[in-house]
Amino acid sequence: MALEWTALSPADMPAIADLARRCVAHDGGLQATASLSFLERRYAAGTAVGAFADGRLVACGAVRPVGDASAATGLVDPGHRGQGLGSGLLDRLIKEALPDRLIKEARPDRLIGEPGPVRLETESVTPEAHALFLSHGLRQTFAEDVYRRDLSRPLPPEPELELELEVQEWSRDTEGAFYEAYSASFADRPGFPGWSREEWVDWLVDDEFLPECSLVARGAGGAAGFVACAEGFLIQVGAVPAWRRRGLARALAVAALGRMRARGVTEVFLDVNVNNPASAALFRGLGFEVIARRARYEPVD
């Protein structure tokens, strides 16, 4: 197989999207990761390279700056795997990411051109890709499973909440209660970012956010749990420690799914960290199925 490696430009985005669709069809994952808007944030924001066989893009990768770090991502056509193409692409990405990079703004604690941290991101890691990354001196530092539920299938009965709880939709008046529930629900989770209310709301609320499907449960002692939704997604579901193992998260999730189905949503996705078995069990019990695993890898220290 004669391969031609070349630098990619924005004009190659349709070919990258076509390759991404072939990978999603084979490996599973979110269809949105093959959209032009998603791919442009990864391939048009840095340095991209691709390999062509008979005029068709069969592998591509990109390295882009993320703050003071570099993030790399790549795709290999399912029909061209097992021939060393992925290993060659990974070598190119690591070489691109690790040399001294020009830091645009001088910082007193960093030298101009000092190499920054690098990470490799994948939206649907396969066992073969995982083994490849490890063989290149990378270690997995983050992983979460992508779940899907077909909303044409019956939902479980909506559990009754305890009488002391009041459930409210997202609004300007309840935004503070949502943030209180979010902070208390996830503060003990590894990697909790500790965002301010403004930072969290800015991350959460966009054009696809569904305020009428996002619910917060409040009791006499304050917020007890919440669910936040976007079009086709359960973004976050949580219960504060005092309300865990009492069915609250399940009740809020079922209520949100019912509201989403009433809007005409036909399928729902969510992400669950692999070190969160309680949430994984909850959503499997609600009929969700794993369709892919997203992961991040970084060099071994």
Side-chain angles (χ1 to χ4, degrees):
M1 177 180 62
L3 289 178
E4 178 187 354
W5 286 95
T6 183
L8 300 179
S9 72
D12 294 301
M13 287 307 306
I16 295 172
D18 184 56
L19 173 57
R21 286 191 290 270
R22 300 198 299 273
C23 291
V24 170
H26 183 273
D27 301 329
L30 296 173
Q31 294 293 330
T33 61
S35 68
L36 282 173
S37 60
F38 179 89
L39 294 168
E40 284 171 349
R41 293 194 294 270
R42 283 150 178 77
Y43 286 86
T47 302
V49 63
F52 291 82
D54 298 325
R56 189 185 198 192
L57 185 66
V58 295
C60 65
V63 177
R64 69 187 191 280
V66 180
D68 286 342
S70 294
T73 189
L75 298 166
V76 176
D77 188 296
H80 290 77
R81 296 175 184 173
Q83 305 172 43
L85 189 55
S87 181
L89 173 61
L90 184 55
D91 287 337
R92 289 173 180 270
L93 294 178
I94 292 174
K95 183 179 179 180
E96 177 66 31
L98 287 181
D100 290 354
R101 298 185 298 109
L102 177 64
I103 306 300
K104 293 182 179 179
E105 296 182 4
R107 285 178 40 181
D109 59 334
R110 292 286 301 274
L111 298 174
I112 298 296
E114 181 185 357
V118 59
R119 67 172 185 256
L120 182 76
E121 302 170 337
T122 174
E123 295 299 319
S124 185
V125 65
T126 64
E128 294 79 12
H130 176 74
L132 175 64
F133 301 149
L134 297 184
S135 73
H136 278 66
L138 302 171
R139 61 186 177 90
Q140 190 178 89
T141 56
F142 168 82
E144 63 183 11
D145 287 328
V146 181
Y147 285 75
R148 174 187 179 274
R149 196 197 195 280
D150 182 352
L151 282 187
S152 68
R153 294 167 44 213
L155 291 172
E158 188 170 330
E160 292 187 8
L161 293 174
E162 299 190 31
L163 293 177
E164 65 182 277
L165 291 177
E166 178 184 8
V167 176
Q168 298 173 304
E169 297 178 0
W170 178 282
S171 69
R172 183 170 298 179
D173 292 335
T174 61
E175 181 183 293
F178 272 89
Y179 177 70
E180 177 189 347
Y182 154 74
S183 298
S185 296
F186 296 123
D188 59 352
R189 296 293 303 158
F192 178 67
W195 285 333
S196 68
R197 173 173 165 177
E198 291 73 19
E199 290 172 321
W200 181 64
V201 172
D202 182 65
W203 170 82
L204 181 69
V205 178
D206 58 18
D207 292 341
E208 296 189 335
F209 181 68
L210 298 179
E212 65 273 29
C213 298
S214 301
L215 307 170
V216 64
R218 307 167 76 176
F226 80 109
V227 56
C229 304
E231 194 68 43
F233 281 88
L234 285 184
I235 306 173
Q236 291 178 323
V237 183
V240 307
W243 281 91
R244 292 174 185 167
R245 292 175 292 277
R246 296 168 66 172
L248 177 58
R250 177 184 175 87
L252 290 172
V254 172
L257 291 173
R259 290 183 176 221
M260 294 173 78
R261 184 164 68 174
R263 285 177 51 86
V265 177
T266 59
E267 60 181 358
V268 176
F269 299 89
L270 60 87
D271 301 323
V272 177
N273 197 293
V274 294
N275 66 4
N276 190 352
S279 291
L282 166 65
F283 293 113
R284 285 196 299 268
L286 292 176
F288 282 84
E289 298 176 338
V290 176
I291 61 169
R293 173 166 291 185
R294 304 175 63 241
R296 184 164 62 240
Y297 294 79
E298 297 177 22
V300 176
D301 295 333

